[in-house]
Amino acid sequence: MTTTTMDIAHDNDHHDDHGPQKGWRRWVYSNNHKDIGSMYLIFSLVMLILGGASAMAIRAELMYPGLQLLEPDLYNNIVTNHALVMVFGAVMPAAAGLANWMIPLMIGAPDMALPRMNNLSFWLLPAAAIMLVLSFIVPFFPGGGSQINTGWTLYPPLSLQVGMAMDFLIFTVHLLGVSSVLASINIIVTIFNMRAPSMTLWNMPIFVWTWLVTAFLLILILPVLAGGVTMLLFDRHLGTSFFDAAGGGDPVLFQHLFWFFGHPEVYVLLLPSIGVLSHIIPAFSYKPLFGRKSMIGAMILLASIGMVVWAHHQYTIGMSSAAVSYFMIGTILISIPVGLMKFNFIATMWRASMTFEAPMLFAISIVAMFVFGGLTGVMLAIVPADLQYQDTMFVVAHFHYVLMPGAVMALFAGVLYWLPKWTGNMYNEKLANWFFWTSLIGFNGTFFVQHFLGLAGMPRRIVDYPVQFTEFNFISSVAALIYGLSHILFLYLVIQTIRGKGTTKAKSRSWKGAKGLEWEVASPAPFHTWDSAPTVDAEGEIKQK
Amino acid sequence: MAASDNKKTAKKLFVLVAGMFVFAFAMVPLYNLVCEVTGLKGSDNRAGLPINQDIDTTRKILVEFDGIVNSNLPWEFEPSTRQLEVHPGEVANVNYFVTNLADKAVTGQAIPSVIPWFGSQYFKKIACFCFDKQKLEAHESADMPLRFYVSTEIPKDISTLRLSYTFMNLEKTGS
């Protein structure tokens, strides 16, 4: 078996058997999972800065009532862009970058199963990013048409009336979809076929499990979104009437297609982060993860229920009360598997002699903040309450409370946790603590007050507001500036660790309590790892002879 | 051995992807079917004259009328009456007044919707301008008739029905 694994590596990679190619060829032609993983992560960081800049623009405009900086159309354009850049440009590629780097290391595989397809799925992303930026700036050129003012949901009829910028955006969604689907197929094939022969599905690391479920979700939902936006494109240019009421179409159909994708998409963003936490929390609690099998069960349950509750985003479209009740009960049921995961995390920390390195600080705060975001989610799931809360800043506060800790911060934690493995250097712990505390204060200051704004009736996606909302908006904007600037610390931290100046060298097991195959290889991880598959025991550790 | 296994697994997954893409398009007829079965769609509710329906004089339903013009249709569109009280089963007439403001002939069609949604199926139209495309010459005006009744089967908890028309432009204008 060992020799067969070697043979695959030779079949696929014989031209860089002796290390990476030189210069730009190393990156453009790369089919090495570590290099592609790094490119994903760097791409994600660039997109995070772009999306963060648009968030700063939004908060700057909302700092005071009235129109100061942005025209209403430009404001809505930026809101649309912010969401798409963050979801598709920052979070999903970052999670894919972690998957590329860690999955082969964790399951004892020499590389991803389909390395050339891996290269394609990454290099589609910069193309998509250029299209996305074009969709933002094309209205500023003569004949460029109107700006995209629909928000990321792209609802018709508004999206049928926007100028050519919408076509750029539709093709962006297509490219991003193809990229993610290819990456997902690659990940599933890798997990099924490339595991070390002694590693069963049950003793596979939880991060790999979360990505297996995520990849299946992506395969099921992204083609539906692609179909939906293709119909938009047909309606816009080919005279069809899928959504155009003038020809007998129904705009609400698009909402169903969009949210059939859009709701499971939030679990796509969440699950890899749950996987990251499932490694960090046991490592710094020096205990195995509590309820490992229930964790796997919970994530499968979460994904399955998550596929069939999409219409809770559309309570106000006029569904029958039977349909609304079904979607309400289904949505509330989701809190059971999610709650179970959180209880497992808490039980892992229970009576543990924990240490509080930056990844652990993030992990603990994420569990607390995510539970809070989940509770406002239950509030929003309740139909009569939702009719009051929907389309207000309360919703904005809710989904930032689940996505920021649940996706973005967990990815930061994961990067800090595995950075020693990638670079061979320990990051500067003091700086990481500064980053943690400033971003924690900045994040909560930005979004906590938005709950009050929403409950008091401030609508979302509107450029201006009545003067009674001034104070909370001012607090939110100042905190947002702190939050935004805190990321400079992160950027500095990462560059410093990569350059290795003023840092200490990392051991191969960089954290005392860290478990798993990735800590068996040297730090930094060599260009080729696990050329021969390791033999693991029931805990997924290397079998001691 | 394993390399061809990889391709086999990948092929199966590609079939799944293609299947889901087709599923998105299959949602279109599926959705229309569900809407028709549940009566949710603001369908045109064509009906003949009320048969075997005595006028229920014990109840009155307030019917409100509303007319909107889609932003790319250069028309004015307004009901002659804003609201009307009818007994269930009683046939009533309302006119909508339409003017084409453009310098050329334009074809449009009105798309109805009824609020509350579940009251939609009890609003029966005997004749309606919304059944057909309407063509107005340059600066032409017209009275467009609607003849309807409210079914006697309308549930007790509905006392108001609001009928809203949106007139759509059927000429391809582009955006």
Side-chain angles (χ1 to χ4, degrees):
Chain A
M1 199 61 214
T2 314
T3 41
T4 13
T5 329
M6 293 269 284
D7 286 345
I8 311 162
H10 279 272
D11 283 348
N12 292 333
D13 293 347
H14 49 83
H15 53 279
D16 42 44
D17 259 349
H18 306 290
Q21 287 180 292
K22 298 279 171 284
W24 59 272
R25 282 191 180 80
R26 168 172 180 180
W27 305 102
V28 175
Y29 296 156
S30 178
N31 46 26
N32 177 283
H33 74 99
K34 300 185 184 76
D35 280 357
I36 292 176
S38 302
M39 287 196 289
Y40 263 114
L41 289 165
I42 293 165
F43 174 82
S44 153
L45 202 53
V46 173
M47 286 289 121
L48 184 78
I49 292 166
L50 185 66
S54 51
M56 292 298 105
I58 292 166
R59 279 321 314 172
E61 171 57 48
L62 292 179
M63 197 161 181
Y64 297 106
L67 303 180
Q68 284 90 30
L69 304 168
L70 308 171
E71 291 300 307
D73 264 344
L74 179 58
Y75 176 85
N76 286 339
N77 195 357
I78 290 177
V79 168
T80 310
N81 210 264
H82 167 72
L84 289 166
V85 165
M86 284 303 197
V87 170
F88 289 103
V91 176
M92 286 168 72
L98 290 185
N100 258 293
W101 249 105
M102 302 319 297
I103 287 176
L105 281 182
M106 284 176 163
I107 63 175
D111 206 308
M112 298 296 278
L114 307 155
R116 291 202 181 86
M117 200 164 88
N118 205 11
N119 176 293
L120 176 64
S121 41
F122 172 75
W123 282 107
L124 283 171
L125 283 181
I130 292 168
M131 292 277 278
L132 185 60
V133 171
L134 279 177
S135 81
F136 179 73
I137 58 175
V138 83
F140 299 103
F141 290 96
S146 58
Q147 300 189 47
I148 300 171
N149 46 12
T150 58
W152 83 296
T153 50
L154 310 179
Y155 281 0
L158 197 50
S159 55
L160 298 177
Q161 292 158 10
V162 174
M164 69 164 91
M166 185 54 74
D167 301 318
F168 280 93
L169 197 57
I170 288 171
F171 286 124
T172 305
V173 171
H174 280 140
L175 279 182
L176 290 166
V178 172
S179 162
S180 285
V181 162
L182 293 180
S184 302
I185 288 176
N186 209 342
I187 286 167
I188 294 174
V189 176
T190 306
I191 294 173
F192 279 165
N193 294 358
M194 306 279 284
R195 288 194 319 276
S198 48
M199 181 178 277
T200 63
L201 278 177
W202 275 118
N203 59 28
M204 201 163 71
I206 294 284
F207 177 74
V208 182
W209 256 108
T210 53
W211 249 110
L212 181 62
V213 176
T214 304
F216 267 110
L217 273 181
L218 280 168
I219 283 183
L220 291 174
I221 61 174
L222 276 170
V224 177
L225 175 70
V229 295
T230 305
M231 290 178 217
L232 267 186
L233 198 68
F234 286 177
D235 270 15
R236 288 169 55 83
H237 297 293
L238 300 180
T240 58
S241 297
F242 288 106
F243 312 125
D244 190 358
D250 192 339
V252 172
L253 173 60
F254 181 83
Q255 299 188 13
H256 284 290
L257 289 171
F258 182 86
W259 287 113
F260 184 86
F261 149 81
H263 190 68
E265 170 71 11
V266 303
Y267 303 116
V268 166
L269 302 176
L270 169 71
L271 277 174
S273 302
I274 293 279
V276 170
L277 294 187
S278 307
H279 287 250
I280 292 175
I281 291 177
F284 297 102
S285 301
Y286 304 89
K287 276 164 70 178
L289 182 69
F290 182 89
R292 203 175 171 285
K293 285 189 178 174
S294 70
M295 202 79 184
I296 296 169
M299 74 179 79
I300 294 172
L301 191 64
L302 175 70
S304 327
I305 306 178
M307 288 288 291
V308 291
V309 294
W310 70 89
H312 63 224
H313 294 267
Q314 315 159 245
Y315 281 153
T316 55
I317 60 171
M319 284 181 287
S320 65
S321 39
V324 163
S325 311
Y326 158 75
F327 284 112
M328 173 167 82
I329 293 165
T331 306
I332 295 172
L333 275 181
I334 283 183
S335 57
I336 294 172
V338 177
L340 195 120
M341 289 174 178
K342 298 294 155 186
F343 279 122
N344 281 347
F345 288 148
I346 295 168
T348 308
M349 291 187 273
W350 181 253
R351 293 192 167 177
S353 48
M354 295 186 278
T355 53
F356 299 96
E357 284 85 350
M360 188 61 169
L361 289 177
F362 269 111
I364 296 170
S365 70
I366 287 163
V367 171
M369 290 187 291
F370 188 86
V371 167
F372 184 80
L375 285 176
T376 55
V378 176
M379 288 169 74
L380 286 166
I382 296 165
V383 179
D386 180 75
L387 298 183
Q388 170 76 16
Y389 306 149
Q390 61 105 14
D391 240 348
T392 66
M393 293 302 275
F394 188 82
V395 179
V396 175
H398 156 69
F399 69 70
H400 281 95
Y401 257 92
V402 279
L403 284 184
M404 279 297 201
V408 179
M409 285 187 181
L411 293 169
F412 284 144
V415 168
L416 292 177
Y417 179 64
W418 283 308
L419 206 51
K421 178 54 61 191
W422 303 336
T423 62
N425 302 313
M426 300 302 284
Y427 62 83
N428 182 337
E429 189 64 47
K430 199 173 165 191
L431 207 58
N433 267 273
W434 270 99
F435 170 55
F436 167 72
W437 287 107
T438 46
S439 68
L440 185 76
I441 292 165
F443 165 74
N444 283 288
T446 308
F447 292 105
F448 196 78
V449 291
Q450 293 185 4
H451 291 105
F452 307 135
L453 288 171
L455 291 178
M458 178 176 162
R460 64 192 279 214
R461 289 176 174 164
I462 306 283
V463 65
D464 194 5
Y465 53 83
V467 284
Q468 78 253 32
F469 299 135
T470 311
E471 285 79 9
F472 282 141
N473 271 301
F474 184 80
I475 295 171
S476 180
S477 290
V478 171
L481 188 67
I482 298 172
Y483 189 39
L485 291 178
S486 75
H487 291 80
I488 294 172
L489 287 176
F490 178 74
L491 202 62
Y492 181 81
L493 193 77
V494 170
I495 293 171
Q496 189 193 35
T497 314
I498 293 172
R499 291 170 59 106
K501 292 213 174 113
T503 55
T504 51
K505 289 268 168 252
K507 295 190 199 115
S508 61
R509 191 175 295 272
S510 315
W511 310 104
K512 242 188 279 170
K515 288 271 166 22
L517 289 181
E518 76 265 35
W519 306 106
E520 302 289 343
V521 302
S523 298
F527 198 62
H528 293 296
T529 41
W530 300 131
D531 279 345
S532 58
T535 312
V536 296
D537 61 18
E539 268 83 53
E541 292 290 306
I542 290 226
K543 206 168 209 160
Q544 302 297 331
K545 293 219 169 103
Chain B
M1 170 206 112
S4 63
D5 269 4
N6 289 349
K7 280 190 188 144
K8 240 186 256 168
T9 316
K11 262 181 206 155
K12 279 181 206 155
L13 293 169
F14 273 116
V15 171
L16 189 61
V17 170
M20 288 312 288
F21 189 72
V22 172
F23 171 75
F25 286 85
M27 280 277 269
V28 180
L30 209 66
Y31 173 78
N32 287 332
L33 189 74
V34 170
C35 289
E36 261 162 50
V37 170
T38 56
L40 277 179
K41 190 144 191 172
S43 66
D44 55 13
N45 292 336
R46 277 169 219 235
L49 282 165
I51 303 159
N52 296 334
Q53 288 216 347
D54 298 326
I55 297 176
D56 180 359
T57 48
T58 59
R59 293 184 64 194
K60 274 190 171 175
I61 306 286
L62 181 69
V63 184
E64 299 176 332
F65 303 95
D66 189 11
I68 307 167
V69 177
N70 186 269
S71 61
N72 53 23
L73 182 69
W75 287 10
E76 267 180 2
F77 174 54
E78 202 177 19
S80 56
T81 12
R82 283 283 164 194
Q83 54 188 41
L84 200 63
E85 277 195 321
V86 293
H87 298 295
E90 176 190 3
V91 175
N93 294 302
V94 172
N95 279 335
Y96 276 73
F97 188 66
V98 197
T99 310
N100 181 6
L101 303 175
D103 295 326
K104 57 181 173 100
V106 179
T107 310
Q109 181 157 19
I111 307 291
S113 83
V114 175
I115 294 172
W117 305 83
F118 39 88
S120 168
Q121 54 187 303
Y122 308 104
F123 191 87
K124 306 286 187 190
K125 293 173 195 138
I126 299 160
C128 177
F129 57 93
C130 61
F131 293 165
D132 303 299
K133 293 174 186 171
Q134 303 289 341
K135 187 175 182 182
L136 287 186
E137 297 302 325
H139 300 286
E140 187 191 349
S141 294
D143 268 326
M144 295 190 174
L146 164 68
R147 194 170 161 77
F148 71 95
Y149 68 95
V150 176
S151 162
T152 47
E153 289 156 17
I154 188 164
K156 289 268 178 280
D157 55 342
I158 301 180
S159 56
T160 308
L161 289 174
R162 176 177 296 162
L163 173 68
S164 174
Y165 284 109
T166 306
F167 237 115
M168 299 285 185
N169 193 345
L170 287 189
E171 323 265 328
K172 199 66 202 168
T173 45
S175 38

